[in-house]
Amino acid sequence: MAEPPRAIGDHGIIGDMETAALVACDGTIDYLCWPALDSPSIFADLLDPGKGGAFSILAALPDQRSLQLYLPDTNVLTTRFMAEDGSAEILDFMPHPDARMRPTDAARCLIRRVSVTRGTIRFTMRCAPRFDYARETPEVTAEGAGARFTGKALTLQLFASVPLRAEEGVATAEFTLSTGESAWFVLGDADLGLPDDATILGDIEATTAAWRRWTAQSTYKGRWREDVIRSALALKLLTSRRHGSIAAAATFSLPEATGAGRNWDYRAVWIRDASFTVYAFMRLGFIEEAHQFGRWAGARVMASDDDHPLRIMYAIDGTQAADEQELDHFAGYAGSRPVRIGNGAHSQSQLDVFGELMDSVYLTNKYGEAISARGWDHVAGIVDYVIDHWQEADAGIWEIRAEPRHFLHSRVMCWVALDRAIRLSVKRSLPAPLVRWTECRDAIAADVWQNFRHPEHGYFVQERGGTELDAALLMMPLVRFVSSTDPVWLKTLDAIQDQLCDDGLVYRYRTHDGLDGGEGAFTTCTFWLAECLARAGRLSEAQLVLAKGRRYANALGLFSEEQDKRGLHLGNFPQALTHLAFISAAYFTDRRLDPSHRPNWQP
């Protein structure tokens, strides 16, 4: 009988800004891709318990309770086990790139330190990596104080402070610790040097200090500081130190509805997230991260031309996103098949991406580095593309896999692309055919107001000539297309609350999207709703929605993509867009609750 999966929300995340691991509440690492976030998995029991690979440390404590916490203002995770007979904890982390104590910085690793805080406890360690998405079981050999896992294209080294046994496909250890005693395990690259106790303690201290130096840059001192900083730390783990890009999530193929086929790979970089990323990091005082993402996005713009148009998503290193494949040998989380890697949406037409990109370019220029003359030429080319194509149907922000449609959100973001280009041209005195651009921008606005309204009620609707709603409409005042207190918008806001909301859960839409099965509520939309309410001056409602939304995080403050009707986590985890939306909503609501707030807010 297959083992039951650990719940998505019962995990913390650790990482080194090159890859990330999920650590379950029972002390098992059941998800990790190596060496990069978008590399094949080496642990994936989360997607197929007992088959995908895992690294477990179990304490022999009857009736134990487990809980997790981060060392404050860091991504160093502690998993605690508490029982009548004793208590223990596992400290999990990857050394911060600025704090590696090893002689070769190229050697990267995962460190697990087990300590007993009360009593005498027997532990069992089992490290069973399964390379290449569990399609390869590595050869395991004992080597001195460690074990080596050797595959066709990857070799990993495991060191430990206790004796290891090398068995078929697994390294194991059994050991006993008493109060104040500890043991450690280090899994990493093949050229990893043998550590000692001093090295491990030095890694802990240096990594903790490095994360705290980073969080100390934050200028946010508001009501939700702890939650906001945790969101920023989660985003930082999804940010590539090498490339400056940010992945949509750490995982692939965690389902939007259990037992259904809505399972996608989010280990890629969506251009759409650019403006949200820039907003979030700049609002919190993390200016360099915003600039790094801006440079990454700018490089994608510079590389685009008629033969290589701008894509909606890219691989983390900026190359083309991987094609979609199905891994038939995986059972899937809670039986949710097929398990997919890559993402077929990378070839879709999604016109909204140009608006989000231009918003990002505008903000980066307004508050940071000025665009180059060559860069502006490429931006002008993108604007020309929008002018030529804004009236076309597309797959939209939700990447529907049905026939393209004329979505309001896509139309509004085309307006944003023109609007921000015009603003940037004026601000930087950059050459541009402003009359032509302005005429097109105004034509888009007129089209929205004339053709995307409910024929009876007058509020905005999901698509041209339709009557259904879409939570993406909540972006309209956030991108300043419409006033947050405009009567038509307020009517739209009320309609969204009536038709798409369910006790704090917000659904993207109620229409058919070309896929079988339903899905959960979309967490990001909850925070968009909270910010819209705050902008409309409905602060009591905003605070209540924000309070409910915050409770959809797990005990560590991490958000998944969606929730089921019980508020349990669904979809890939942790989800960058949700953390970005939460930061934005918390920041803006804080400002509105401040007695000294002035309506003409600027980031």
Side-chain angles (χ1 to χ4, degrees):
M1 181 181 294
E3 299 176 31
R6 298 170 185 85
I8 293 170
D10 288 344
H11 289 81
I13 183 173
I14 60 172
D16 62 358
M17 291 161 286
E18 291 190 58
T19 191
L22 298 188
V23 185
C25 283
D26 67 358
T28 300
I29 295 176
D30 57 2
Y31 181 89
L32 172 61
C33 296
W34 194 273
L37 195 71
D38 53 359
S39 298
S41 63
I42 63 170
F43 300 130
D45 256 23
L46 184 58
L47 291 159
D48 197 335
K51 182 177 181 179
F55 186 173
S56 62
I57 300 176
L58 304 179
L61 281 174
D63 300 320
Q64 64 180 264
R65 177 193 178 205
S66 65
L67 54 89
Q68 291 182 303
L69 67 149
Y70 284 103
L71 298 188
D73 293 340
T74 79
N75 278 313
V76 178
L77 180 67
T78 298
T79 302
R80 303 192 67 206
F81 308 101
M82 305 174 68
E84 290 290 337
D85 296 338
S87 59
E89 60 187 35
I90 304 173
L91 197 71
D92 283 307
F93 69 102
M94 295 182 192
H96 193 286
D98 294 339
R100 290 179 185 149
M101 303 292 288
R102 297 185 163 48
T104 56
D105 283 346
R108 297 165 47 231
C109 64
L110 160 71
I111 297 176
R112 315 198 72 186
R113 185 173 185 265
V114 188
S115 303
V116 169
T117 53
R118 178 168 51 86
T120 298
I121 303 173
R122 184 77 172 165
F123 294 90
T124 301
M125 185 284 301
R126 188 175 189 274
C127 183
R130 297 294 179 261
F131 293 171
D132 191 24
Y133 298 110
R135 290 180 290 203
E136 181 185 8
T137 299
E139 179 184 352
V140 185
T141 55
E143 291 194 2
R148 182 174 288 261
F149 302 93
T150 305
K152 296 175 182 177
L154 178 65
T155 298
L156 294 177
Q157 183 75 49
L158 174 67
F159 289 114
S161 63
V162 297
L164 296 176
R165 291 192 303 272
E167 305 172 16
E168 185 176 351
V170 62
T172 63
E174 293 183 1
F175 56 100
T176 300
L177 301 175
S178 296
T179 304
E181 294 179 336
S182 64
W184 48 259
F185 301 88
V186 180
L187 177 68
D189 292 334
D191 58 346
L192 188 69
L194 175 64
D196 54 24
D197 290 349
T199 303
I200 298 299
L201 290 174
D203 278 326
I204 295 171
E205 293 174 1
T207 295
T208 301
W211 282 118
R212 287 175 176 164
R213 284 195 301 272
W214 185 77
T215 55
Q217 299 175 54
S218 173
T219 56
Y220 177 77
K221 309 297 182 186
R223 294 163 178 78
W224 300 287
R225 182 189 181 280
E226 185 175 350
D227 294 331
V228 166
I229 292 302
R230 178 51 51 201
S231 286
L233 283 162
L235 290 173
K236 186 63 173 174
L237 285 181
L238 297 175
T239 300
S240 169
R241 179 181 175 88
R242 181 177 304 179
H243 304 291
S245 56
I246 180 168
T251 57
F252 64 92
S253 219
L254 292 180
E256 296 174 2
T258 53
R262 297 170 181 259
N263 317 310
W264 317 111
D265 188 346
Y266 278 9
R267 300 169 303 157
V269 186
W270 271 251
I271 290 289
R272 176 178 296 115
D273 292 349
S275 61
F276 300 113
T277 304
V278 171
Y279 267 122
F281 277 135
M282 282 189 167
R283 281 170 167 170
L284 301 183
F286 301 115
I287 305 300
E288 183 55 33
E289 283 70 23
H291 289 168
Q292 287 174 354
F293 196 99
R295 294 184 199 109
W296 183 91
R300 308 288 77 74
V301 172
M302 298 293 283
S304 64
D305 53 37
D306 292 341
D307 296 325
H308 303 88
L310 189 71
R311 300 285 183 178
I312 65 168
M313 73 175 79
Y314 293 85
I316 290 170
D317 64 1
T319 58
Q320 180 173 311
D323 292 331
E324 197 167 287
Q325 302 177 45
E326 295 184 2
L327 302 180
D328 295 332
H329 62 286
F330 269 142
Y333 177 88
S336 304
R337 303 184 69 185
V339 172
R340 295 184 178 92
I341 55 173
N343 199 308
H346 74 76
S347 60
Q348 287 183 343
S349 170
Q350 298 177 20
L351 293 171
D352 67 291
V353 68
F354 299 105
E356 284 119 1
L357 174 67
M358 282 308 307
D359 201 27
S360 173
V361 170
Y362 173 73
L363 286 170
T364 302
N365 273 266
K366 185 174 182 180
Y367 300 106
E369 301 169 349
I371 194 169
S372 67
R374 184 164 170 261
W376 179 246
D377 287 341
H378 280 267
V379 165
I382 289 174
V383 174
D384 288 340
Y385 182 90
V386 173
I387 290 174
D388 292 339
H389 296 275
W390 68 269
Q391 299 184 68
E392 297 176 0
D394 72 342
I397 183 175
W398 306 131
E399 302 177 349
I400 62 163
R401 300 202 174 195
E403 286 297 314
R405 287 141 69 180
H406 292 271
F407 289 106
L408 173 57
H409 179 263
S410 296
R411 201 60 49 98
V412 166
M413 296 313 293
C414 286
W415 177 91
V416 170
L418 272 296
D419 181 73
R420 301 314 191 259
I422 292 166
R423 292 180 186 224
L424 182 55
S425 173
V426 172
K427 180 175 179 61
R428 296 291 190 191
S429 299
L430 297 166
L434 290 178
V435 172
R436 178 169 173 258
W437 287 6
T438 302
E439 288 176 347
C440 182
R441 180 194 63 182
D442 295 347
I444 296 172
D447 180 56
V448 168
W449 282 95
Q450 293 169 10
N451 299 314
F452 291 81
R453 306 268 298 280
H454 192 285
E456 179 182 355
H457 303 296
Y459 53 70
F460 293 112
V461 292
Q462 180 186 49
E463 62 180 307
R464 187 176 66 189
T467 58
E468 299 295 327
L469 287 161
D470 186 332
L473 305 186
L474 293 166
M475 289 299 299
M476 295 178 74
L478 305 189
V479 297
R480 302 180 186 275
F481 176 86
V482 64
S483 166
S484 56
T485 56
D486 184 281
V488 174
W489 166 249
L490 292 178
K491 191 180 292 187
T492 307
L493 182 60
D494 290 337
I496 288 173
Q497 288 186 285
D498 289 342
Q499 299 178 38
L500 297 182
C501 297
D502 181 3
D503 191 28
L505 296 168
V506 181
Y507 293 85
R508 294 188 288 182
Y509 44 76
R510 303 290 192 184
T511 53
H512 182 59
D513 57 8
L515 296 169
D516 294 331
E519 63 169 3
F522 205 74
T523 324
T524 297
C525 300
T526 296
F527 297 120
W528 287 350
L529 174 62
E531 184 168 349
C532 284
L533 290 168
R535 287 177 179 267
R538 292 154 63 168
L539 291 177
S540 294
E541 291 179 71
Q543 286 179 277
L544 180 58
V545 172
L546 192 56
K548 290 182 177 180
R550 287 172 61 217
R551 297 302 298 168
Y552 297 139
N554 72 0
L556 292 167
L558 301 174
F559 292 104
S560 63
E561 181 185 10
E562 301 187 8
Q563 288 85 36
D564 66 13
K565 288 187 178 296
R566 297 172 297 167
L568 297 178
H569 291 229
L570 291 172
N572 287 301
F573 173 87
Q575 175 85 353
L577 189 59
T578 307
H579 285 281
L580 293 164
F582 168 66
I583 290 171
S584 182
Y587 189 101
F588 191 88
T589 305
D590 250 327
R591 294 297 296 266
R592 279 292 169 95
L593 291 170
D594 185 345
S596 63
H597 167 73
R598 296 182 179 180
N600 60 336
W601 170 87
Q602 294 292 337

